[in-house]
Amino acid sequence: MLTEQIRPAGNGAEKLLDVRDLRVHFDLGGGTFWDRVAGGKAARRIVKAVDGVTLAVRAGETLGLVGESGCGKSTFGRAILRLVEPTGGQVVFRGRDLARLSKEEMRRERRHLQMIFQDPYASLNPRMTVRDIIAEPLETFGLARGREADERVRELMRRVGLSPRFIKRYPHEFSGGQRQRIGIARALALHPDLIVADEPISALDVSIQAQIMNLLQRLQREFKLTYLFISHDLRAVRHMSDRIAVMYLGRIVELAEARAVYEEPLMPYTKALISAVPVPDPEIEARRRRIVLEGDVPSPINPPSGCRFRTRCPYAIADCAAVVPPLVEIKPRHFAACIRISPEEPHIERVAASSAPGLKFVAAANGA
């Protein structure tokens, strides 16, 4: 398949994470109450939150994952760590398929994979002190106890910008930004290789957001971390990421280096997302053309056939309803899922009406 070509650019660093055709479906049962009242056997409703995602991440890089709310990006991050169980596909971490491990084997692997959660208020146990929260993973894996654990907790607090004097305080005694620093310290406690940061700044004030992003970048250099940075804030993702993957309704529609995604986006969906980001210069902002997508995001229970973005795409043609577009390398290290573009003509605005040059890639992607 052409998606097997999707590998990050870089300096030849080790491929740390290789996600192949990952699917996460949630079974809601058969129909609604009124469907059953009407009689007959209602079809089962399946939420296809993540539906065939293939990505690879190299050690030391930050891969940004963006998309509208409900596109499946948080579910994707949780499925990597098996906080939700994958329905299918592979999550290969340093040669081991996490999706096939037993619960005990996965528990041991979690020492190398950690998560920073979105809500710093809900992700910390209000009955535990800062010391207990940060030391819990150390004690769980038998790495430190007693005074040794206390000292390591103090060192981690210093690393994330918290005074060790606060070690006996409870979460409610801290601000939102300080709570997120506690969550970051907890994620660092085991010296993981990969951290999934799920919307780590969305619940924070704008001034604090910049501090947390700078902290994450500094810690990445110091601890040689790899990040999957999930966010709907395109400015934050651009600041943090080496590469960016754009997700729509459970699938990746564009993947490229961060600068390429912002300066030369290929997908109409990506262009619309970028056009919605405000520019601080009022003169430039006044001259910019905002791309407004028509219609609502379809339900993941009954997604459109073919290209899932076609119901909102201004360039959709009849073939878009019949063909599932593969993720194809349109430019060097720049992938997009659209049958209306090709390496010969990557700009969809210039493609002739009703033309679909990308159809030639469909058979190859299906192994024909």
Side-chain angles (χ1 to χ4, degrees), residues 315 317 319-320 339-341 348 350-359:
Y315 304 98
I317 59 176
D319 284 332
C320 296
I339 62 171
R340 300 224 51 210
I341 59 176
I348 196 169
R350 302 175 188 171
V351 177
S354 75
S355 177
L359 282 175

Side-chain angles (χ1 to χ4, degrees), residues 119-233:
D119 189 350
Y121 297 90
S123 61
L124 304 179
N125 190 329
R127 293 182 175 85
M128 296 174 69
T129 64
V130 172
R131 184 268 176 204
D132 294 335
I133 290 171
I134 300 176
E136 184 177 28
L138 295 171
E139 294 172 346
T140 298
F141 284 90
L143 300 180
R145 294 186 183 279
R147 291 184 179 179
E148 182 184 359
D150 292 346
E151 187 52 42
R152 292 182 69 169
V153 168
R154 291 188 177 94
E155 175 59 25
L156 285 166
M157 292 179 70
R158 283 189 285 265
R159 288 292 187 99
V160 300
L162 291 172
S163 172
R165 295 184 294 108
F166 302 155
I167 193 170
K168 294 184 178 181
R169 292 189 180 184
Y170 289 86
H172 74 269
E173 300 179 77
F174 294 91
S175 67
Q178 289 174 322
R179 293 188 196 193
Q180 196 60 291
R181 290 173 189 267
I182 296 170
I184 294 171
R186 177 178 59 186
L188 287 175
L190 299 175
H191 293 276
D193 299 308
L194 174 69
I195 290 182
V196 176
D198 182 17
E199 300 269 14
I201 63 170
S202 63
L204 307 177
D205 293 340
V206 174
S207 60
I208 305 302
Q209 290 179 357
Q211 295 178 21
I212 296 299
M213 285 191 292
N214 291 336
L215 171 64
L216 290 173
Q217 289 182 318
R218 176 173 62 80
L219 293 172
Q220 183 176 37
R221 294 190 297 269
E222 293 177 0
F223 288 86
K224 296 180 172 57
L225 298 170
T226 302
Y227 290 141
L228 174 63
F229 187 83
I230 300 170
S231 180
H232 65 271
D233 187 335

Side-chain angles (χ1 to χ4, degrees), residues 247-314:
M247 198 169 189
Y248 183 80
L249 212 59
R251 291 181 178 167
I252 301 299
V253 297
E254 189 159 356
L255 173 66
E257 294 178 4
R259 177 175 293 183
V261 169
Y262 279 86
E263 295 182 355
E264 296 182 280
L266 300 180
M267 293 293 294
Y269 177 62
T270 308
K271 295 177 182 181
L273 290 180
I274 294 174
S275 77
V277 178
V279 175
D281 188 322
E283 294 184 1
I284 297 177
E285 179 66 21
R287 294 195 302 267
R288 283 201 321 144
R289 184 176 69 90
R290 171 77 187 276
I291 301 174
V292 180
L293 298 175
E294 296 183 0
D296 298 324
V297 179
S299 169
I301 297 176
N302 187 27
S305 62
C307 175
R308 296 189 173 185
F309 182 60
R310 66 176 176 81
T311 57
R312 305 172 72 196
C313 178

